[in-house]
Structures are given as C-alpha cells and as structure tokens.
Amino acid sequence: MPIPVPQAEELKDLLSLKGKVVVVTGASGPTGIGIEAARGCAEFGADIAITYASRSSGAEKNAKELSEKYGIKAKAYKCLVGDYANVEKLVKDVISDFGKIDVFIANAGKTADNGILDASVEQWNEVIETDLNGTFNCARAVGLHFRERKTGSFIITASMSGHIANFPQEQTSYNVAKAGCIHLARSLANEWRDFARVNSISPGYIDTGLSDFVPQDIQKLWHSMIPMGRDAKAKELKGAFVYFASDASSYTTGSDLLVDGGYCAR
C-alpha cells in the first residue's frame, strides 16, 4: 500500500503538526539549527523531544521554554547518536513518554577543521561516526517504529558541504559524511516507500555562533562566494523543517533542499 493522500485540503491544516510527536537530536544550544527546528515544529503544535550529548542544562532550558512558550509537551534526553544502543534507548523512552514518534529530525553533528593528511585516523572516525553512522543509527532505530505504525517522516540535517568542497578551510571528513547523509536520505526514501518519507536539508553557512573563531578575512571570503552575501540565521531554516515534517510535503520524499543563499548555484 502506498502512503495515502492526506485528508486535509487547506494549506494551514496540512502544515499543522497538532497531535504529532517530533524528535530533534542535537538541540541543546540556544541558537543552533536543532533548537530552531524544534521551535518551528512547536509553533505548529507538535510535542517535542530534544536530545543533547553533553549540555544537559542547555537542553533542559530549551525544553522548558518550548513547553511554556508554545503550550506543548517537551522533554530533553541524553543521547550519543554514534552509539546504536543509545539511540535505541532514546526511541524506546520517547515512545514510552509520548506514546509514539511521528517525525524524527536527525540533526546532531560534529564539524571538522582539517584535511585527512594533517589529522589523525581517530579524528576522521569521530566525524564519520557522529555525522554518518549516527544518522544511520537514528534511521534504523526509529525506522522500525515507523514501519510498525505505517507512518513517519525522517529528516536529515545534511549540508551544502555534501554537494561541494568548501574553500578555503579543509574539512574532508565532514564533506564526505554529509554527502553520505544526502544519499542515505535518497536511498531510504526508496527503501521505506510503503510507510515513511525521508528527506534532507542542506544548509549553507549558518550564523549559530559556532564559527565566531574563524578569522574575519576568511568570513569575508565566504560571504564573497555566497550570491546573497551573508550567512543565514538558523531561524531561516524553520520553514524547511516544518514543511518536511508536515503533511504539506506528503508527496515529497528523497528530496534534498538546499538553503544556502545561492552558494551551490555558482
């Protein structure tokens, strides 16, 4: 049986996430992509489970704010996505606390600041383990639940770095992991065609505070390579996550949405 056409007719109803449970990994920061994805879904009525790797206070604060501001249920969980048993436990705990999972946003990630010759083998493995294997772990753990319920939307935070090799910084492991994420989404869209949709979002340079250490001249060079001439704020990704999470994207699967200010168009 193919995934059915949604019953709602109006776009506002198709976009609604009321009654849905959304998991977002890597949402402990105050301004990152993860928390903005969570906020977007909460704004449209979803109950939210967010995860953190080490920043428990940030995640607890975010969960409290989501709950109070949007009047939804929100809870924070510790999860190291690179370890399958951790992710399996997360899925089990969220289902136990919320009753189900409708949408899973695999967002937790690790950046790289080196090429392969000037970094250790361990550094390569760390990035691949979190960014690619971690996304696989999330997909497999929640995919079994999606298949059982015959419904679900899996969304991967990929990157424009999965499409191009960034310049001037060297980050080969990250680029390779994100390219893998994009193709994982395409492949799973086919594998899960009977019960769930799978898509990826590829952000460009996002001002989350994480790149404040980058020298000004390099940031200027980045901006010169972006047609729109600036970084994005993470809130500019909210619409993409809500679209893929909701029934508004009911016929969209295996897609990758670039949100990069035109970087990959050049």
Side-chain angles (χ1 to χ4, degrees):
M1 281 288 290
I3 296 168
V5 177
Q7 292 183 321
E9 294 293 338
E10 294 193 10
L11 182 57
K12 65 176 170 52
D13 298 323
L14 290 165
L15 282 166
S16 172
L17 294 171
K18 277 201 175 77
K20 297 214 169 160
V21 176
V22 178
V23 177
V24 186
T25 63
S28 60
T31 57
I33 294 170
I35 187 55
E36 290 297 355
R39 283 178 187 136
C41 292
E43 284 165 26
F44 280 75
D47 290 325
I48 309 284
I50 58 173
T51 79
Y52 63 92
S54 56
R55 293 182 292 193
S56 60
S57 58
E60 296 292 353
K61 183 169 181 277
N62 283 349
K64 189 167 181 282
E65 283 176 2
L66 287 169
S67 179
E68 287 172 359
K69 185 168 182 184
Y70 303 111
I72 51 102
K73 180 176 175 176
K75 192 171 174 185
Y77 300 81
K78 183 179 174 72
C79 182
L80 303 172
V81 296
D83 174 58
Y84 185 74
N86 250 262
V87 183
E88 202 173 31
K89 184 179 186 309
L90 167 73
V91 168
K92 195 171 161 230
D93 289 347
V94 173
I95 293 167
S96 169
D97 293 341
F98 288 81
K100 60 172 183 165
I101 297 170
D102 296 288
V103 178
F104 195 110
I105 298 172
N107 171 75
K110 187 176 177 65
T111 55
D113 59 1
N114 41 49
I116 69 167
L117 303 182
D118 297 320
S120 65
V121 172
E122 288 72 32
Q123 283 172 295
W124 168 276
N125 289 340
E126 275 175 23
V127 172
I128 299 297
E129 184 180 279
T130 301
D131 294 2
L132 184 55
N133 296 347
T135 304
F136 157 79
N137 290 339
C138 293
R140 189 178 190 280
V142 81
L144 293 165
H145 176 65
F146 286 171
R147 184 170 68 181
E148 195 184 314
R149 289 188 65 229
K150 301 275 191 288
T151 182
S153 173
F154 189 72
I155 305 162
I156 299 172
T157 301
S159 172
M160 73 173 184
S161 303
H163 294 267
I164 50 90
N166 301 63
F167 180 81
Q169 74 276 30
E170 307 299 350
Q171 51 178 54
T172 300
S173 57
Y174 181 82
N175 298 350
V176 169
K178 292 302 187 178
C181 284
I182 293 164
H183 205 55
L184 178 64
R186 283 198 199 109
S187 303
L188 289 178
N190 182 55
E191 184 186 319
W192 297 1
R193 59 193 172 274
D194 293 333
F195 57 87
R197 297 182 299 102
V198 186
N199 295 285
S200 58
I201 295 170
S202 286
Y205 289 115
I206 311 295
D207 176 14
T208 60
L210 287 180
S211 47
D212 289 351
F213 66 92
V214 178
Q216 281 300 310
D217 56 331
I218 290 183
Q219 292 200 40
K220 272 199 181 123
L221 177 60
W222 286 351
H223 293 160
S224 75
M225 298 165 82
I226 304 167
M228 286 185 69
R230 64 170 176 86
D231 292 343
K233 292 290 184 191
K235 69 179 180 183
E236 293 180 281
L237 292 163
K238 284 199 286 192
F241 284 104
V242 170
Y243 171 67
F244 284 137
S246 73
D247 283 345
S249 62
S250 55
Y251 198 61
T252 307
T253 195
S255 279
D256 177 74
L257 179 56
L258 276 160
V259 187
D260 67 349
Y263 191 105
C264 290
R266 268 193 186 156

